[in-house]
Amino acid sequence: MNMIEFRNVSKIYENDTAALKDINLVIKKGEFVFLVGPSGSGKSTFIKLLIKEISATSGTIFIAGRNVCNLKSSRIPQLRRNIGCIFQDYKLLSDRTVFENIAFALEVIGKPNYIIKAQVPQVLKLVGLYNRMDSYPHQLSGGEQQRVCIARAFANRPPILLADEPTGNLDPATSEGIMKLLSRINIIGTTVVMATHERSIVNAMRKRVVELEQGLIIRDQKRGVYGS
Amino acid sequence: MSLIFRPKHIFGETFLSLKRNFLMGFTAITTVAITLFIVGVFSIIVYDVQGVLNSIEGQVEIAVYLKDNISNDLKGYLENEIKGWSEVDSVTYVSKDQALEKFKTQNEGSDILKEIQGNPLPASFEIRLKDPQKVEQIALRFVDKDGKSIDGVDEVIYGKSYIRNLFSITAVTGTITLLIIIILLLATMVLIYNTIRLSIYARRKEIEVMKLVGATNWYVRTPFLFEGFFEGFMGAGIAVLLLYFLNKFLFIKGETAIAETMHIKNLAILGSNNIILIAYFGIIVIGGLIGIFSSGIALRRYLKV
């Protein structure tokens, strides 16, 4: 089953810079895909298009078989509930504990309290932070904060997980831990798309690699490495 | 819908935000209160002045004083003529004797009565009009081209410029008041708009996360709309409270005086048709609407979802 499909997708920003040019790409359910390339190559645009933070200038994007380009703005929240997102800067709320940060994400999509109380500890166990539930983000290390971010993205069990430079601020040892976690999430059936420009991580994982350069796909390789 | 009306979410966020931006919220509420208080005070004053004026208008009469030597024929002719005018509501003939009698009762116990010898008072027609604004037009019919009174008529007395001034003064005051109120309402809206903008800014991180994990647009918007509503509503509440005390300790005394001396029944507070309750209710409604409206504009500009 095709989880994500780009058909002739282009994105031209208002200042006439083309971030993506005529992209055709299929990502199947349960795949783990690295999106590599230098900054400005279109990785972030790719991810923003998927969560419809921006709209494609031309072409069609299908997610789980549904065309999301003509999605009404009132349907966007529904789309985003099916896509977990993690970031380089974690985007955690500093005035809330780990538990509250994850609970918040479930609360705002209308999950009832009893489900939140059951799901949050569960997902914290998955990321290995069960005993840090009551800590505040500033009391955690970078790696731990990224785990909270992953827990929040995954709490609702979305079929797709997008990661935009998740290890950008972490040292190699910590990054390895994060990658193990993402692998585990991938193994239980989640489609993972990760944008990165860290060579060692890509090389160690031996997953599908899609390389972008100036808005074009210049390489799509199964079990690939960073540089060709 | 159940998702939108989560009291904990809406109220919790609102009060958290009011606590954070206490000064801004406080200023907005105070401005709403002052504005709506002024609206209320003006409404009561305008309503009462209108009542008094209507009553004065109703009492506007033209007194046509007749010469003592007027013949009965001419008198009868004049009376019939006046009765025939469509603008005239009623005509009463007051004879010299009746005029003296009336004068005596009006000035009972006064020394003037001792001074009067014989009957210096003229007979007159007292004319009441259907439309008091036409008083001048009617009065001029008793005057010929040269500005002299017509045959048999000694003098015509009516409110003249005084009446006209009253009408124009009320019109001008009304317009000025309306302008002041509009300006104040605009200021109120700008202040509420700004508090909402600040709360959006203060919560931008939460909003970002909310949108990211797929909170509905209304879920994100509702607390801000409620915050605006709350500020408008609170301000209106304070305005009503202030107005209530002002009425209780000041206006009601004035109205009692007006009611006793001028026998005017239709006043804002004392009147039987509950004008004051309608005013209180109207102020609350206006306050709430201004709040929602202003925050709505702020949301449109600063909360792209």
Side-chain angles (χ1 to χ4, degrees):
Chain A
M1 181 192 166
N2 293 347
M3 200 50 146
I4 296 167
E5 186 178 353
F6 276 51
R7 273 191 211 159
N8 309 103
V9 174
S10 294
K11 174 67 193 177
I12 299 159
Y13 285 109
E14 278 168 23
N15 56 1
D16 282 343
T17 51
L20 288 179
K21 295 171 200 157
D22 199 25
I23 297 291
N24 284 290
L25 184 70
V26 172
I27 296 172
K28 295 213 179 307
K29 185 177 186 297
E31 263 192 288
F32 194 118
V33 179
F34 280 115
L35 221 50
V36 303
S39 11
S41 57
K43 302 192 299 279
S44 289
T45 303
F46 188 94
I47 283 180
K48 281 179 186 162
L49 281 172
L50 282 175
I51 57 172
K52 213 164 158 59
E53 202 179 307
I54 55 175
S55 294
T57 314
S58 63
T60 349
I61 299 169
F62 295 90
I63 292 176
R66 266 181 72 183
N67 182 350
V68 297
C69 286
N70 50 21
L71 208 61
K72 275 192 283 174
S73 73
S74 62
R75 303 297 302 167
I76 294 174
Q78 208 53 50
L79 167 75
R80 291 184 185 160
R81 284 174 201 192
N82 288 306
I83 303 175
C85 275
I86 59 179
F87 310 91
Q88 186 170 7
D89 59 355
Y90 325 127
K91 296 193 197 297
L92 299 176
L93 302 175
S94 56
D95 58 343
R96 292 173 205 244
T97 63
V98 167
F99 182 95
E100 287 164 349
N101 261 287
I102 298 160
F104 178 76
L106 293 171
E107 233 171 74
V108 302
I109 60 169
K111 293 280 177 197
N113 255 330
Y114 72 94
I115 288 187
I116 295 175
K117 278 187 184 136
Q119 263 180 8
V120 177
Q122 220 179 341
V123 75
L124 279 173
K125 266 180 204 158
L126 175 79
V127 302
L129 284 176
Y130 184 72
N131 51 357
R132 304 303 304 267
M133 213 185 271
D134 296 319
S135 306
Y136 285 89
H138 66 90
Q139 296 169 318
L140 304 176
S141 70
E144 285 169 327
Q145 288 187 45
Q146 189 56 282
R147 283 164 188 272
V148 178
C149 184
I150 293 171
R152 183 180 63 192
F154 197 61
N156 191 35
R157 301 294 151 100
I160 300 172
L161 194 70
L162 302 179
D164 195 357
E165 307 275 1
T167 56
N169 287 340
L170 303 173
D171 59 69
T174 315
S175 299
E176 204 186 313
I178 295 296
M179 291 318 295
K180 272 187 185 150
L181 182 53
L182 289 179
S183 286
R184 254 166 69 199
I185 286 172
N186 173 240
I187 283 164
I188 55 178
T190 315
T191 309
V192 179
V193 178
M194 173 169 160
T196 185
H197 53 244
E198 280 178 81
R199 179 177 296 266
S200 58
I201 287 174
V202 179
N203 292 349
M205 296 283 286
R206 289 282 168 168
K207 299 281 188 189
R208 180 176 170 191
V209 175
V210 174
E211 188 172 351
L212 289 167
E213 201 179 290
Q214 293 185 328
L216 293 167
I217 294 178
I218 57 164
R219 178 165 63 110
D220 186 350
Q221 194 176 17
K222 279 205 157 73
R223 302 182 64 76
V225 290
Y226 191 91
S228 43
Chain B
M1 288 308 266
S2 64
L3 186 59
I4 297 168
F5 297 108
R6 287 185 137 198
K8 193 187 137 216
H9 164 58
I10 297 172
F11 295 121
E13 295 293 322
T14 299
F15 291 112
L16 197 72
S17 167
L18 284 173
K19 227 167 75 185
R20 268 188 200 143
N21 291 321
F22 177 76
L23 203 64
M24 276 302 293
F26 182 77
T27 320
I29 291 173
T30 316
T31 326
V32 179
I34 292 170
T35 310
L36 293 180
F37 175 68
I38 293 173
V39 170
V41 169
F42 272 119
S43 310
I44 292 171
I45 291 176
V46 165
Y47 189 84
D48 282 357
V49 167
Q50 208 63 48
V52 170
L53 279 182
N54 283 340
S55 152
I56 293 174
E57 270 180 28
Q59 289 164 12
V60 166
E61 280 184 349
I62 302 171
V64 181
Y65 292 105
L66 304 173
K67 285 188 171 141
D68 283 356
N69 60 6
I70 188 172
S71 68
N72 277 341
D73 282 355
L74 185 54
K75 196 184 81 188
Y77 168 76
L78 275 177
E79 186 166 3
N80 277 330
E81 185 76 3
I82 297 167
K83 272 181 183 160
W85 295 342
S86 60
E87 301 92 339
V88 170
D89 187 37
S90 68
V91 185
T92 322
Y93 174 68
V94 182
S95 70
K96 282 178 72 75
D97 291 347
Q98 285 167 331
L100 185 64
E101 212 41 51
K102 210 170 153 188
F103 186 77
K104 277 180 177 169
T105 46
Q106 276 173 357
N107 296 285
E108 224 176 321
S110 161
D111 288 341
I112 303 172
L113 292 179
K114 289 171 194 158
E115 308 285 327
I116 295 175
Q117 289 174 352
N119 187 355
L121 298 172
S124 63
F125 287 122
E126 286 176 357
I127 306 170
R128 275 179 179 272
L129 299 178
K130 284 174 189 151
D131 179 2
Q133 306 223 36
K134 295 207 172 120
V135 68
E136 196 161 12
Q137 191 188 327
I138 301 296
L140 283 172
R141 292 183 190 168
F142 297 97
V143 179
D144 62 20
K145 281 176 215 149
D146 305 327
K148 285 182 190 158
S149 297
I150 55 169
D151 274 355
V153 173
D154 188 34
E155 202 182 0
V156 181
I157 304 268
Y158 67 97
K160 284 183 192 165
S161 57
Y162 151 75
I163 297 291
R164 237 183 321 171
N165 284 345
L166 277 183
F167 287 121
S168 55
I169 286 171
T170 39
V172 170
T173 330
T175 316
I176 293 173
T177 311
L178 202 67
L179 273 175
I180 294 173
I181 288 173
I182 288 173
I183 291 168
L184 282 170
L185 286 180
L186 285 176
T188 311
M189 286 172 62
V190 169
L191 276 161
I192 295 181
Y193 173 91
N194 272 328
T195 54
I196 300 304
R197 199 180 62 160
L198 274 187
S199 346
I200 292 172
Y201 183 75
R203 290 218 294 271
R204 65 196 180 284
K205 279 191 135 181
E206 273 135 286
I207 293 170
E208 189 188 0
V209 173
M210 279 192 224
K211 288 196 227 162
L212 211 65
V213 298
T216 59
N217 296 349
W218 280 109
Y219 186 88
V220 181
R221 283 190 197 123
T222 320
F224 297 107
L225 277 183
F226 186 77
E227 191 183 329
F229 168 77
F230 180 81
E231 284 169 357
F233 182 78
M234 273 298 283
I238 294 170
V240 166
L241 213 67
L242 289 174
L243 211 54
Y244 172 79
F245 284 112
L246 186 77
N247 289 338
K248 200 174 170 188
F249 294 114
L250 190 70
F251 279 176
I252 207 152
K253 284 179 186 155
E255 287 201 353
T256 312
I258 295 173
E260 277 172 4
T261 52
M262 305 178 78
H263 306 289
I264 296 167
K265 290 197 184 86
N266 201 6
L267 293 170
I269 306 168
L270 292 175
S272 52
N273 44 4
N274 286 331
I275 291 297
I276 193 65
L277 293 184
I278 295 172
Y280 289 157
F281 182 72
I283 286 172
I284 299 278
V285 171
I286 294 174
L289 287 181
I290 285 181
I292 291 182
F293 185 67
S294 320
S295 53
I297 301 175
L299 288 184
R300 274 182 70 104
R301 290 201 55 181
Y302 295 101
L303 193 62
K304 299 267 183 294
V305 271

